[in-house]
Amino acid sequence: MIALRKRSSCSSQLFPALCALGLAVLGGLSWAVPMDEQDYYLQEISNRDHYYSFPYPGEEYFSFTEQPGEEGTIRASEPEEHPGFKPSRKELKPKKSSKKGKAILEPPPDCPPLGLETLKITDFQLHASTAKRYGLGAHRGRLNIQAGVNENDFYDGAWCAGRNDPFQWIEVDARRLTKFTGVITQGRNSLWSSNWVTSFRVLVSNDSHAWTAVRNESGDVIFEGNSEKEIPVLNMLPVPLVARYIRINPRSWYEEGSICMRLEILGCPLPDPNNYYHRRNEMTTTDNLDFKHHNYKEMRQLMKTVNKMCPNITRIYNIGKSHQGLKLYAVEISDNPGEHEVGEPEFRYIAGAHGNEVLGRELILLLMQFMCQEYLAGNPRIVHLIEDTRIHLLPSVNPDGYDKAYKAGSELGGWSLGRWTQDGIDINNNFPDLNSLLWESEDQTKSKKKVPNHHIPIPDWYLSENATVAVETRAIIAWMEKIPFVLGGNLQGGELVVAYPYDMVRSLWKTQDYTPTPDDHVFRWLAYSYASTHRLMTDARRRACHTEDFQKEDGTVNGASWHTVAGSINDFSYLHTNCFELSIYVGCDKYPHESELPEEWENNRESLIVFMEQVHRGIKGIVKDIHGRGIPNAIISVEGVNHDIRTGADGDYWRLLNPGEYMVSVKAEGYTTATKNCEVGYDMGATRCDFTISKTNLARIKEIMRKFGKQPISLSLRRLRQRARQWRQRR
């Protein structure tokens, strides 16, 4: 019996010449590595076999018999229950076969993904036999990774071997002993080519030198791969295997393509407090929350539980129904739920416009639990926020799409399953295009039909029954028009960045171009307030999720400079209502495994709270007449900012502004215009800036005439009648 932990080191006296040759080769290769990474790269390569290349005293996880010229038969340990992971009920249920792919599940997985998709596995932990080019290197072989539009040398959509032969491989170094249980594979993400692996072997090792293939009674196990490039396929190992390294060896591939694959490894890292790499990435939370994925029924039950715990500050309501008739539930958190309080701003978080972007949904459910618990515990920050703000949380805008993704399960839905509504509409880009109406009006200076710079009406064609508008979108619009929201965030997934409007480029000839709103400085601050308090968004050391590096803008991006979109919720909210809305992309993995939720909550918790607090930045006030009555629909203008807002039904308003001094004017039909200087400080809390305006003389005359049942006579008509009288008198 030969244990797989056979240690290999340059200190061995048996191979001094080979070790010297190896170091010489490494020295010759250092020129290809960026200067700031050379030392780390050389250390990683030369020390790959130093960690856990020896067994625990008195323990042996697996071993194999070796015969000359043959690979041994693995005798694996019995499956163990990992103390740090408990599979959910959903994950223990068998999943149905995909129409396009093979049956997804044999035995249910009992270990979570190692983290190729979530980037927990670093680029230095991925190695391959060969690569077609840098952009198709091992570091791109991550499940669901997306290629750039140009599929260039840096950002392509898979690992692709440099040669098409059965000797190619891609390898993952777990950096500690791990119980491997399964492999998930995909083909290459590409608009222009079709490449995937149709079968492969799995090999394991403890030192990266002696490799053993997974075998059964018939010989090496050949696992069935993919039949197309996007649908993930899960293969469970016959028995769990404990090792440090795992290697995938493609045996066949699509005949008109080449060896390309993306993958995720399922495995339970074995406990070891002395492992530096584990301690460095370890994240725990002290919050006692329900960290799991909730289907529609469970989501509704969780809302009821929160409402039962905090009945005085919460209210459950729905804004409409989905295409399949599921109610779109929201939770209101306020010290006076169910009523708009004069002078209190309204805030909203929504998630799940793309049904497969599940992390945002769970973060909102965790947020409502957290705020209820902290309010009951007397946390002064949360108590103050709830007493001074009316907060609305809508966790699932597209429950029909979520249901599709949920049935496939984490890691197995691919990049787009459940993204659209039941009738195939992308809710996030299904709103009226008001940008074009505004810009056309501004460009045509002599146009008789001028479009206002705010509260632009929805075009008639959009309101018709034949318009391609999702019922979910119409429900959101009605909700936005009913409640005077001031600030909002829509949580999305698949990236780690905050995008602010405009989302649509102004030029007809460009697909990417920085297109600022008149409130660009405010939007940039709002975006930065979330990104800067997130644990990873502004970390310069982190790897880009897919193809874009947003570090130059500190984890923020103007939507139009990223990719142009017409009819986005952000642009519509800004141009049709008073609400400033941003898109918050909360993670590289759209549907992270349940075991990742505590860490994702820690990553986003502070940011979620800080962003809500920004609703109290700028100026606020009430516009009244001389009798103290609030004036609705009055226009609030800020000098130098070509975007106005309007007062609510009670005459109250909120205007988000950065610190500084502003000349603010208010006007309303039939009232005189008033202007005053309002100063916004750096401390949290909006500056009070009230207005009292009186009616114009003409408005007073009209009011008097109406009061006595008469209509005022226009001056021109009076003059005509007077001249007619004078003419008759002369005759």
Side-chain angles (χ1 to χ4, degrees):
M1 302 291 288
I2 302 177
L4 275 182
R5 289 177 193 78
K6 184 177 180 180
R7 184 167 185 169
S8 172
S9 170
C10 283
S11 62
S12 173
Q13 297 179 359
L14 297 177
F15 307 108
L18 290 176
C19 290
L21 177 60
L23 292 176
V25 171
L26 287 174
L29 288 176
S30 64
W31 64 269
V33 185
M35 291 299 295
D36 57 347
E37 296 179 1
Q38 283 188 19
D39 292 341
Y40 188 91
Y41 184 83
L42 291 175
Q43 180 184 0
E44 174 67 14
I45 297 296
S46 59
N47 293 337
R48 286 172 65 188
D49 57 331
H50 290 185
Y51 306 98
Y52 284 91
S53 53
F54 51 91
Y56 285 146
E59 290 189 28
E60 186 172 67
Y61 290 96
F62 69 85
S63 58
F64 64 93
T65 58
E66 188 179 75
Q67 297 178 7
E70 296 183 3
E71 290 172 330
T73 302
I74 292 178
R75 296 177 182 173
S77 63
E78 293 299 319
E80 302 174 90
E81 189 65 37
H82 185 255
F85 170 71
K86 184 178 181 181
S88 67
R89 291 189 297 273
K90 176 181 77 68
E91 289 174 312
L92 293 175
K93 295 179 181 179
K95 296 180 175 62
K96 297 179 180 180
S97 299
S98 169
K99 293 181 180 179
K100 297 183 179 179
K102 56 171 282 185
I104 293 178
L105 229 291
E106 290 284 319
D110 64 347
C111 284
L114 290 188
L116 275 77
E117 184 174 7
T118 61
L119 306 184
K120 273 191 169 183
I121 297 295
T122 68
D123 288 352
F124 288 116
Q125 292 174 259
L126 300 173
H127 309 278
S129 52
T130 60
K132 192 168 288 187
R133 61 173 184 267
Y134 177 78
L136 293 168
H139 65 292
R140 302 295 294 177
R142 301 172 180 272
L143 190 72
N144 285 323
I145 202 164
Q146 300 296 293
V149 175
N150 299 322
E151 299 184 16
N152 55 36
D153 286 343
F154 291 97
Y155 301 112
D156 220 315
W159 161 68
C160 290
R163 298 186 300 271
N164 289 332
D165 61 48
F167 305 107
Q168 305 304 307
W169 48 263
I170 182 171
E171 168 191 324
V172 180
D173 175 8
R175 283 183 171 162
R176 59 186 301 187
L177 286 178
T178 301
K179 182 176 74 172
F180 297 116
T181 60
V183 178
I184 304 173
T185 59
Q186 274 177 316
R188 175 183 174 184
N189 174 252
S190 172
L191 294 173
W192 320 110
S193 59
S194 297
N195 303 283
W196 59 84
V197 170
T198 56
S199 67
F200 59 89
R201 292 193 310 161
V202 176
L203 302 93
V204 293
S205 172
N206 266 5
D207 59 8
S208 79
H209 297 291
W211 290 90
T212 302
V214 175
R215 296 170 64 92
N216 57 22
E217 296 79 5
S218 304
D220 290 357
V221 176
I222 303 298
F223 294 93
E224 185 179 346
N226 299 80
S227 57
E228 57 88 67
K229 58 187 177 183
E230 289 297 338
I231 297 179
V233 172
L234 168 64
N235 278 281
M236 301 300 298
L237 302 186
V239 290
L241 302 175
V242 175
R244 172 177 166 173
Y245 301 90
I246 186 168
R247 180 178 284 185
I248 309 302
N249 168 220
R251 305 300 292 177
S252 63
W253 46 94
Y254 177 51
E255 59 183 5
E256 297 181 14
S258 57
I259 297 176
C260 294
M261 62 190 316
R262 294 173 286 168
L263 68 151
E264 181 63 86
I265 305 296
L266 303 183
C268 295
L270 298 183
D272 175 30
N274 298 317
N275 190 307
Y276 165 71
Y277 293 106
H278 173 64
R279 294 201 317 273
R280 183 179 64 177
N281 296 317
E282 189 174 21
M283 171 58 62
T284 58
T285 181
T286 58
D287 295 328
N288 184 24
L289 307 175
D290 190 17
F291 293 107
K292 60 166 288 183
H293 287 299
H294 299 79
N295 61 26
Y296 183 81
K297 183 178 179 181
E298 292 167 339
M299 178 190 74
R300 173 73 173 126
Q301 185 58 46
L302 179 62
M303 290 179 171
K304 288 182 178 180
T305 302
V306 171
N307 179 242
K308 186 176 181 180
M309 287 178 59
C310 299
N312 296 329
I313 62 166
T314 61
R315 176 177 73 100
I316 303 173
Y317 67 100
N318 74 81
I319 68 168
K321 293 183 178 181
S322 71
H323 186 273
Q324 290 189 313
L326 299 177
K327 291 182 179 180
L328 308 181
Y329 285 111
V331 168
E332 175 191 342
I333 302 179
S334 170
D335 61 340
N336 192 13
E339 293 184 24
H340 170 72
E341 298 180 61
V342 177
E344 186 170 281
E346 310 235 7
F347 177 92
R348 69 168 179 255
Y349 271 133
I350 68 174
H354 297 150
N356 63 330
E357 294 172 7
V358 175
L359 179 56
R361 169 192 176 110
E362 295 304 328
L363 288 176
I364 287 183
L365 294 176
L366 291 168
L367 179 63
M368 64 179 67
Q369 298 174 63
F370 176 79
M371 295 192 71
C372 173
Q373 291 181 7
E374 294 301 299
Y375 182 85
L376 295 177
N379 183 329
R381 182 186 184 188
I382 300 302
V383 171
H384 178 73
L385 184 61
I386 292 175
E387 289 180 348
D388 292 347
T389 320
R390 191 181 181 204
I391 302 166
H392 303 259
L393 305 177
L394 178 60
S396 187
V397 176
N398 181 10
D400 298 347
Y402 173 81
D403 188 56
K404 293 180 182 178
Y406 182 82
K407 288 177 179 177
S410 171
E411 318 301 328
L412 298 176
W415 187 250
S416 59
L417 180 65
R419 175 185 177 91
W420 299 279
T421 63
Q422 184 66 24
D423 48 347
I425 296 175
D426 186 337
I427 295 176
N428 196 54
N429 309 326
N430 191 221
F431 293 82
D433 173 15
L434 303 182
N435 304 57
S436 298
L437 296 178
L438 174 64
W439 294 335
E440 287 174 7
S441 174
E442 290 177 347
D443 293 340
Q444 299 172 3
T445 55
K446 296 183 180 180
S447 174
K448 295 182 180 179
K449 188 178 180 181
K450 297 297 292 184
V451 175
N453 65 9
H454 68 293
H455 282 247
I456 300 174
I458 297 175
D460 292 337
W461 67 264
Y462 187 89
L463 299 174
S464 69
E465 293 183 0
N466 296 327
T468 307
V469 182
V471 293
E472 296 90 344
T473 308
R474 295 194 189 277
I476 295 171
I477 291 176
W479 185 49
M480 294 166 71
E481 292 177 333
K482 180 180 179 181
I483 299 176
F485 292 112
V486 179
L487 178 62
N490 56 87
L491 306 188
Q492 301 189 45
E495 263 297 352
L496 204 54
V497 68
V498 182
Y500 54 91
Y502 288 123
D503 291 329
M504 179 180 177
V505 297
R506 186 159 186 165
S507 171
L508 296 176
W509 313 108
K510 295 181 179 179
T511 57
Q512 292 177 307
D513 190 35
Y514 195 101
T515 309
T517 66
D519 286 286
D520 189 56
H521 291 292
V522 177
F523 274 114
R524 290 173 65 181
W525 166 255
L526 293 171
Y528 185 71
S529 71
Y530 194 100
S532 62
T533 50
H534 190 279
R535 285 187 62 252
L536 299 175
M537 276 191 191
T538 55
D539 186 351
R541 299 168 299 175
R542 76 171 181 88
R543 181 194 186 282
C545 292
H546 299 283
T547 63
E548 302 284 347
D549 185 1
F550 299 106
Q551 291 306 311
K552 58 184 179 182
E553 295 293 338
D554 293 318
T556 68
V557 66
N558 173 258
S561 70
W562 184 10
H563 51 253
T564 184
V565 170
S568 76
I569 186 174
N570 295 343
D571 291 2
F572 173 79
S573 180
Y574 181 68
L575 295 176
H576 185 67
T577 73
N578 289 342
C579 184
F580 287 30
E581 179 117 359
L582 294 84
S583 293
I584 303 169
Y585 294 80
V586 291
C588 300
D589 190 348
K590 291 182 177 183
Y591 195 158
H593 190 272
E594 201 165 84
S595 62
E596 299 290 335
L597 293 179
E599 181 170 349
E600 293 294 354
W601 167 246
E602 288 296 321
N603 289 343
N604 288 276
R605 180 184 58 190
E606 179 65 15
S607 301
L608 290 166
I609 298 171
V610 167
F611 189 73
M612 285 191 289
E613 292 172 335
Q614 303 313 303
V615 77
H616 295 284
R617 189 173 293 279
I619 61 175
K620 67 178 182 179
I622 302 175
V623 179
K624 302 177 181 179
D625 62 16
I626 57 175
H627 302 292
R629 295 175 298 215
I631 301 174
N633 218 33
I635 298 175
I636 308 295
S637 303
V638 177
E639 185 178 301
V641 182
N642 187 27
H643 181 79
D644 304 332
I645 63 165
R646 301 200 180 198
T647 57
D650 300 305
D652 49 353
Y653 78 92
W654 305 263
R655 182 54 163 99
L656 297 177
L657 292 168
N658 285 342
E661 291 188 12
Y662 300 91
M663 293 299 297
V664 183
S665 300
V666 60
K667 59 182 179 181
E669 185 177 355
Y671 291 86
T672 58
T673 299
T675 302
K676 66 169 56 176
N677 185 288
C678 302
E679 183 176 355
V680 178
Y682 287 90
D683 295 334
M684 186 60 68
T687 301
R688 191 70 184 244
C689 204
D690 295 326
F691 290 87
T692 300
I693 55 179
S694 58
K695 291 188 176 181
T696 61
N697 291 334
L698 180 59
R700 288 198 192 98
I701 293 172
K702 288 182 177 180
E703 186 178 359
I704 293 171
M705 298 298 287
R706 281 195 300 270
K707 184 176 181 180
F708 293 99
K710 297 179 181 180
Q711 294 296 323
I713 302 173
S714 66
L715 185 59
S716 59
L717 185 58
R718 286 179 180 176
R719 286 177 178 173
L720 288 174
R721 289 179 178 177
Q722 185 178 10
R723 288 174 184 173
R725 235 183 274 116
Q726 291 174 351
W727 182 76
R728 285 196 298 269
Q729 289 174 358
R730 290 196 193 106
R731 294 183 63 185

